Amino acid sequence: MIAETGHYALVLALALAILQSILPLWGARVRDVALMRLASPLAVAQFGFVGLAFAALTHAYLTSDFSVLNVVENSHSLKPLIYKFSGVWGNHEGSLLLWVLILVLFGALVAVFGRNLPARLKADVLAVQAMISTAFLLFVLITSNPFERVVPAPMEGQDLNPLLQDPGLAIHPPLLYIGYVGFSMAFSFAVAALIEGKVDAAWARWVRPWTLTAWLFLTLGIAMGSYWAYYELGWGGFWFWDPVENASLMPWLSGTALLHSAVVMEKREALKVWTVLLALLTFALSLLGTFLVRSGVLTSVHAFAVDPARGVAILIILTVFVGGSLALYALRAPVLKQGGIFAPVSREGALVVNNIFLTAATAAVFVGTLYPLALEAATGEKISVGPPFFNATFGPIMLPVLLVMPFGPLLAWKRGDAYRAAQGLMIAFGVAIVATALVAGFTLGGPWLAPIGIGLGLFAIVGAFAEVMERTKLFKAPFGDSFARAKGLPSSTWGGALAHAGLGVTLIGVVAATAWSSENVVALKPGESVDLSGFHVTFEGLEQRQGPNYASVVAKLTLREGGTVVAAVEPSRRIYQARKMDLAESGIATFGLSQFYAATAEARDDGATGLRLQYKPLVLLIWLGPALMALGGAFSLADRRLRVGAPRKAARPAPALQPAE
């Protein structure tokens, strides 16, 4: 009965979504306040019913209700509790329900916290958001019902895909979906503004918190997915330019451009048309990622193997919303007034350069990802576009972003002074040059571009705090005065510095782990040893272990430095009985920011075991960088000047009554 309750809750949520799509929008057109005010309670109620449906599906998983087909196909009674919970979204139907839940959650948040939004704009925004939820609720109910029953109910389930039975995969999808779906709010605000024919600085202020929230979570989601691939798939890589990885990177790049463009619009009322277009395209790229994952056109460890007919349905949704919004944009964009004029050398100019290169990087990833699919669809010819293409295009495009990034905050609005900004970056220049020379000296004979990459990363990190140093008069005023100034800085200033520094930290990690990693693929018998990067690695032997729903063979390795044991590493191979799948689990020992990485192959007939051993210097910086970026986003989101809706102007006080004479 609980499963039926969840199904009926989705039907009721669909009915509310249809009403929310029509009534407030019509009320805004005829200026009917009562109809416009319906948007908020409808949005909250819709969230309540979708939440009830999600809770019903969660209950089915936690109780191993094998009368529900979705639970049968993706769960097992012996599966650990955390994976019973994460199994709710470890499949097409459940993950799509989570997608819809987050979608209606954002609408409910606007309804509750958007009190300062103009009534017409709020009604339009919530109506557009409801149109999106209507489409996806229909998709769930018609093609992807998570509550479908199976009769007779089997005694046991088929278990969750072993690749997904990992703590990282319990966290990664919700973070990623909040990012993907969060950009729907920027889309809804953009469409609402186009309907109203009015885009101004207040609109940019209203849209920024939602865009920043989505960007923050998408950053964390991509980083979590990257780390999961690194330790779970057994090859030690952190990014493979997989099409589904690219599908998450594209809206991140576009969303980053949108954030910077919205700042220009808020401060100077410039780039209006471009900012609205970016809001539309960023969510379009999020929908594209949804299509790629669920259409069946890709073979990937990240993709859901689903019926291509479902992909056609998502393609229709993509076409309707993206095509419709772009048509509205083409109709309305010419009437949007452009804002202030600015010189090429200015903070606005730096942000425009940032936008140009971020957009170009997005286009490069887009072409490299979709061209093979388009070519195969048109001619039947299959080609592979892999890391060489992306490394040769994406890297050079992002290089100017890293170079220009520290200059922007030091330039004045409208007209800046490039020489003065360069003076403010003298410390960053000095650190970069010295670091490049030192690294080149210590790694003589290694990759010649690697020292330059380290120097560029340090330039980005130190340069990110140049504005803070300038505004606090660090080294120019007494420390107490500088500290007091630092405490008084807006949190968005610290947020921008942390986010920019995070990009430099990631660059250093990528360069170090790529250029100076060492690897040895060997076959060892118990008692045999091998040396790698100063470690003496001894294979102690194999050990059989039993997990809750798998059996594992663990390879026990001992690491020594100078004869002293410094770590024990235990890579393994797990056999999941229900799915009859053999899965490698890497073993990792961490030394500061560096890691020793080991993965096993199957044992050979001669008693030897295949081992892939790697040492990756500074590899943890790759994921520390996104953590800093997300922390910077959180600081910016906490800025007291950034509200969910611009503050209303205070009413003038009534004149005081004069006493009678």
Side-chain angles (χ1 to χ4, degrees), residues 17 48 71-72 81 85 94 132 165 283 355 399 444 451 490 498 635 652:
V71 180
V72 173
L81 182 62
F85 187 67
I132 302 171
Q165 295 189 38
F283 183 57
N355 265 229
L399 179 63
L444 193 62
L498 285 170
F635 267 85
R652 290 185 178 180

Side-chain angles (χ1 to χ4, degrees), residues 128-195:
V128 175
Q129 192 76 0
M131 292 177 191
I132 302 171
S133 61
T134 298
F136 278 94
L137 282 167
L138 278 170
F139 179 66
V140 170
L141 289 168
I142 294 173
T143 73
S144 309
N145 182 9
F147 299 105
E148 184 177 344
R149 292 286 193 176
V150 56
V151 179
M155 295 297 295
E156 193 53 85
Q158 300 171 13
D159 207 357
L160 180 66
N161 184 339
L163 281 172
L164 305 181
Q165 295 189 38
D166 182 88
L169 262 293
I171 303 169
H172 165 60
L175 292 175
L176 204 63
Y177 288 1
I178 294 173
Y180 273 157
V181 181
F183 286 125
S184 68
M185 285 315 313
F187 176 87
S188 295
F189 269 94
V191 172
L194 290 172
I195 292 172

Side-chain angles (χ1 to χ4, degrees), residues 215 219-220 223 498-507 509 619-632:
W215 178 89
T219 302
L220 292 175
L498 285 170
H500 290 171
L503 192 59
V505 169
T506 295
L507 175 62
V619 69
L620 289 180
L621 291 180
I622 295 173
W623 302 289
L624 179 60
L628 285 175
M629 292 183 216
L631 181 62

